[in-house]
Amino acid sequence: MILHSKNKLPNIFLKPKLREITCINTRTKKAINMEEIMGEILVVPFFGQGHVFPLTELCKKLSSFRFKTTLIISSDISSSVSSILLLHPLVSVAAVDAPLPPPPKPGKFDPQPLMLHCKQLRQGMESILRSCRSVKNKFAISVVCAIVDAMMLSHIEDIFTTFQVKVTVAILVNTFVELEQTFLEYLAKQTGLPIWGVGPMLPEKFWTLTASKSLLRDRDIRTNFSHKTNYSEDEVLNWLDSKSPSSIIYIAFGSDVVPTLEEHEEIAKALEESSRQNFIWVISKNQDYYPNGLETQVGKRGLIINGWAPQLLILSHSSTGGFLTHCGWNSTMEAIGQGVPLLAWPIRGDQFYNAKLIVCYLKIGHMVSSIGENIGLKRVKKEEIIQGVQRLMEDKQVHNRVKDLSHKYRHGFPISSAASLHDFKDFIMQAK
């Protein structure tokens, strides 16, 4: 998350009446005393769930300091915004007409749809800022800064300079000091900018239930999901309850970031041949693949979920003993919080760095394959998957390390991250 300063940004009371922008509001929001609001912060995430959800949580955190926040997102994902968030008196959502690019095919990436999406989002943001600049009334709220997802920065950075924002003045990172202090210090030294670890940005109920060592129910924590799936949460729970402790390997990749079709076949063969291994395998609705016949072959030791899966429930259940993952940051943080070791299968972007953190620095997991950094260039084979799962499930030291690390979640949202948010608030107010 890249923080832009408020320097000479226009006053704003966001209610533009433009074709490409929709302000999502509700009549049931509580009345706001405008004089108590410290200022407005624009928040611009990348479109993936792994980007939108953490920044949504950040909006909630910022509201506790009496900042009004406006989340600027594509209208295609506005339905995924929690209804509870829409009731929040200090959070608004501006939905821009910028259709999402289709999910990339495994092993192939066409940048054109993504570039078009970013261009359309940029045009919508320009309209927002232009409209806001013209708003002058006693209800106007001063925009104090913009928080921009690093994935969006290169596409929209010059918009803010057009409206006279300094460029990047600070960096917020979705992590916490106890996990990555060395790297936060290195980043601060290299950039010369204030750096704050303000995460992990997970729902508040995640922290309270994790602190009480309770089983997490996704339906209680995450709302507004389109639960298109072949198993209900209760059916998954019943299956989990039937297995012995730490006996299940959970296999799930992102909805858009997945192995190749050939590698899916290798996973299916590995699971079929691992005759004693219990597993849950999640296959996204976006994936053009289904392992026909595998359920018959493996019987009750395997559960193949096609569509949405209750990941928090699975990770928090005592029968789950490992997680084969693409190393998306949210999934990584959720697994660590529940004390589940990871089998890393990074596919693109920051996932390779996350895998190194897991395997080489924290030592709470293994790479799925011995080809290591060549994952993505060479096909991961059945034998490597079998060996990787066995190595992870039998490594007691890795299991003990991740259990120890999970204790840092037992006191709720990290104290260091709460302090960093206070420091960020002071930084903004000093610059105001």
Side-chain angles (χ1 to χ4, degrees):
M1 293 173 282
I2 309 298
L3 171 68
H4 288 262
S5 88
K6 60 90 188 178
N7 193 39
K8 296 186 179 178
L9 270 173
N11 286 342
I12 174 176
F13 180 64
L14 187 57
K15 212 169 186 181
K17 295 181 179 178
L18 299 170
R19 182 191 65 82
E20 68 268 39
I21 304 166
T22 304
C23 285
I24 302 175
N25 294 307
T26 173
R27 295 178 181 177
T28 57
K29 280 193 175 184
K30 296 178 181 178
I32 305 172
N33 185 342
M34 308 298 281
E35 294 180 356
E36 294 182 355
I37 295 177
M38 307 295 286
E40 180 155 15
I41 298 175
L42 306 180
V43 181
V44 189
F46 193 57
F47 60 78
Q49 289 184 356
H51 297 258
V52 175
F53 291 162
L55 283 174
T56 298
E57 294 302 319
L58 179 61
C59 288
K60 297 177 188 177
K61 295 290 187 185
L62 295 173
S63 70
S64 67
F65 299 122
R66 292 183 291 136
F67 286 116
K68 180 182 183 295
T69 59
T70 297
L71 190 71
I72 303 176
I73 58 175
S74 164
S75 56
D76 282 4
I77 58 175
S78 60
S79 62
S80 67
V81 176
S82 166
S83 56
I84 296 175
L85 182 72
L86 297 179
L87 294 172
H88 199 294
L90 289 176
V91 180
S92 295
V93 178
V96 176
D97 186 11
L100 298 182
K105 297 293 183 182
K108 298 179 181 179
F109 177 66
D110 179 6
Q112 293 306 315
L114 175 59
M115 296 302 292
L116 177 60
H117 165 77
C118 292
K119 179 181 179 181
Q120 292 169 325
L121 190 65
R122 171 196 171 92
Q123 291 171 343
M125 288 190 61
E126 286 178 332
S127 297
I128 288 176
L129 291 174
R130 198 176 301 113
S131 176
C132 296
R133 200 176 197 183
S134 65
V135 176
K136 293 181 180 179
N137 59 54
K138 63 180 180 179
F139 298 111
I141 304 171
S142 174
V143 176
V144 293
C145 77
I147 297 175
V148 181
D149 192 308
M151 291 285 286
M152 291 300 301
L153 188 62
S154 63
H155 300 285
I156 64 173
E157 186 171 36
D158 61 326
I159 294 178
F160 295 101
T161 58
T162 300
F163 285 87
Q164 299 177 319
V165 186
K166 293 177 182 178
V167 192
T168 303
V169 296
I171 300 176
L172 305 181
V173 187
N174 188 18
T175 189
F176 58 116
V177 169
E178 293 85 347
L179 190 72
E180 294 189 274
Q181 181 173 5
T182 300
F183 303 107
L184 290 170
E185 291 174 351
Y186 175 80
L187 187 59
K189 184 177 181 180
Q190 292 298 309
T191 63
L193 298 173
I195 306 289
W196 291 291
V198 295
M201 284 294 161
L202 299 169
E204 190 59 38
K205 278 191 176 181
F206 172 93
W207 294 106
T208 56
L209 291 173
T210 297
S212 64
K213 298 183 180 181
S214 301
L215 191 68
L216 306 186
R217 299 296 295 258
D218 292 66
R219 66 189 182 196
D220 297 332
I221 296 175
R222 292 169 169 160
T223 60
N224 283 27
F225 272 86
S226 55
H227 290 179
K228 295 180 180 178
T229 181
N230 57 338
Y231 287 100
S232 70
E233 191 171 5
D234 287 335
E235 288 173 324
V236 174
L237 178 57
N238 289 335
W239 188 88
L240 289 164
D241 286 342
S242 71
K243 305 305 175 188
S244 56
S246 301
S247 67
I248 297 167
I249 181 73
Y250 172 53
I251 305 168
F253 300 90
S255 55
D256 298 327
V257 182
V258 296
T260 64
L261 293 178
E262 293 80 7
E263 287 172 324
H264 276 85
E265 291 288 354
E266 297 295 317
I267 295 173
K269 292 174 185 176
L271 294 175
E272 182 178 348
E273 293 186 20
S274 301
S275 59
R276 296 183 179 179
Q277 180 61 61
N278 296 326
F279 68 88
I280 294 179
W281 186 10
V282 182
I283 300 176
S284 167
K285 289 290 187 182
N286 292 334
Q287 295 170 236
D288 187 22
Y289 176 82
Y290 193 81
N292 293 313
L294 181 61
E295 289 170 303
T296 303
Q297 294 293 330
V298 302
K300 294 183 179 180
R301 70 177 177 87
L303 192 68
I304 302 172
I305 299 178
N306 189 208
W308 177 85
Q311 180 160 298
L312 295 177
L313 171 67
I314 294 168
L315 290 174
S316 64
H317 199 281
S318 61
S319 63
T320 302
F323 183 12
L324 173 53
T325 172
H326 65 305
C327 301
W329 190 243
N330 289 340
S331 291
T332 300
M333 292 296 97
E334 291 167 2
I336 292 174
Q338 302 310 312
V340 177
L342 301 120
L343 191 58
W345 188 333
I347 295 172
R348 72 169 185 238
D350 69 320
Q351 297 160 16
F352 291 94
Y353 298 104
N354 298 342
K356 281 189 175 181
L357 176 71
I358 291 164
V359 177
C360 302
Y361 184 73
L362 299 176
K363 299 181 180 179
I364 55 172
H366 293 287
M367 294 296 291
V368 69
S369 170
S370 60
I371 62 178
E373 294 183 3
N374 289 319
I375 285 181
L377 300 176
K378 297 180 180 179
R379 184 190 302 179
V380 177
K381 298 294 183 67
K382 170 193 69 176
E383 293 78 13
E384 295 173 306
I385 298 169
I386 293 173
Q387 292 168 9
V389 171
Q390 184 176 359
R391 184 167 59 248
L392 181 76
M393 300 299 280
E394 295 179 354
D395 191 334
K396 293 183 179 180
Q397 289 186 334
V398 160
H399 281 254
N400 290 336
R401 281 193 207 100
V402 74
K403 290 293 184 185
D404 289 343
L405 191 55
S406 71
H407 293 317
K408 297 184 183 299
Y409 285 64
R410 299 301 178 190
H411 303 292
F413 186 67
I415 295 174
S416 63
S417 294
S420 291
L421 284 169
H422 276 277
D423 290 343
F424 160 70
K425 182 259 296 183
D426 293 341
F427 176 81
I428 291 300
M429 297 312 297
Q430 289 170 7
K432 189 173 178 181

